[in-house]
Amino acid sequence: MKDKEKLLKAYHFLADYMQDTLEADEEISPADISPELTKHFRGMRMWLPLKLYGLKPFRASLEEKLYLTRYLYNSIKQIKGFETGPEPELSVTMFRYIPTNEDANSFNKKLIQAIQKDGRIFLSSTTVNGIFWIRVAVVIFRTHLEQMDLLLKIIKENVEELSN
């Protein structure tokens, strides 16, 4: 930064809850010379890569996540004992295992806890009309086919372990 005073004039904001900082004679706060103030300026993280790389990589990443979600949905659908939710339109899908000798909701609560305890992949859950579902949201840019295959492996291992 060549001229901190210009940045201070451009970004400094003083709300009522910050009035006690008026008399501060300390160094210029980074919060006063950036657009962030006390909140993250998340728009910059999106704007800068868009400016540098254009839309093509963003579209490719989104298309990959949609593909991975459909891949997982179709793969789970093929495994005996599993039920899937509605066909995914975006990058979220849900599934559950239907055990033969135990309540499905209880089993799937144990299943998601085991998957989360494993720690390699994080899944969440939801309850729809009293039915407990395991939910997969494929949104992280580091998620690729390798992670989907790993997730399928983790699911199968945990179902086998919990069924015994």
Side-chain angles (χ1 to χ4, degrees):
M1 292 179 271
K2 292 181 181 179
D3 190 343
K4 288 183 183 178
E5 291 301 319
K6 283 185 181 176
L7 286 172
L8 185 60
K9 285 179 184 176
Y11 293 114
H12 180 72
F13 177 76
L14 188 62
D16 289 341
Y17 67 91
M18 299 169 62
Q19 64 191 12
D20 294 6
T21 63
L22 262 179
E23 304 301 319
D25 290 333
E26 301 165 5
E27 290 185 32
I28 296 174
S29 167
D32 290 331
I33 56 173
S34 75
E36 292 189 33
L37 196 55
T38 59
K39 304 223 184 281
H40 291 289
F41 182 51
R42 292 184 176 97
M44 181 70 84
R45 295 183 207 157
M46 187 69 164
W47 177 82
L48 187 58
L50 275 171
K51 283 296 192 188
L52 290 172
Y53 303 110
L55 287 173
K56 191 174 182 179
F58 288 88
R59 287 182 174 141
S61 181
L62 177 59
E63 187 63 35
E64 178 193 30
K65 301 320 167 222
L66 296 172
Y67 164 78
L68 292 173
T69 305
R70 287 189 300 272
Y71 171 80
L72 183 69
Y73 172 83
N74 289 324
S75 297
I76 289 177
K77 207 172 172 179
Q78 302 299 320
I79 305 170
K80 186 179 179 194
F82 280 89
E83 179 181 21
T84 56
E87 189 168 344
E89 294 179 26
L90 297 173
S91 62
V92 176
T93 190
M94 58 188 197
F95 67 91
R96 68 191 200 125
Y97 183 74
I98 310 296
T100 54
N101 57 353
E102 188 178 340
D103 175 63
N105 283 353
S106 298
F107 185 90
N108 284 285
K109 286 177 185 176
K110 288 190 274 186
L111 177 58
I112 194 167
Q113 288 172 350
I115 293 168
Q116 290 172 345
K117 185 177 178 186
D118 176 87
R120 290 179 282 174
I121 293 183
F122 180 81
L123 301 180
S124 61
S125 64
T126 189
T127 301
V128 179
N129 296 327
I131 299 171
F132 185 89
W133 294 91
I134 296 174
R135 186 178 166 275
V136 181
V138 186
V139 293
I140 304 299
F141 70 93
R142 291 185 184 103
T143 303
H144 304 292
L145 187 58
E146 179 182 338
Q147 283 74 35
M148 292 296 101
D149 288 335
L150 174 61
L151 175 56
L152 288 165
K153 180 181 175 221
I154 292 168
I155 292 167
K156 289 175 191 174
E157 288 172 356
N158 281 290
V159 164
E160 189 176 308
E161 190 175 310
L162 291 170
S163 296
N164 293 331

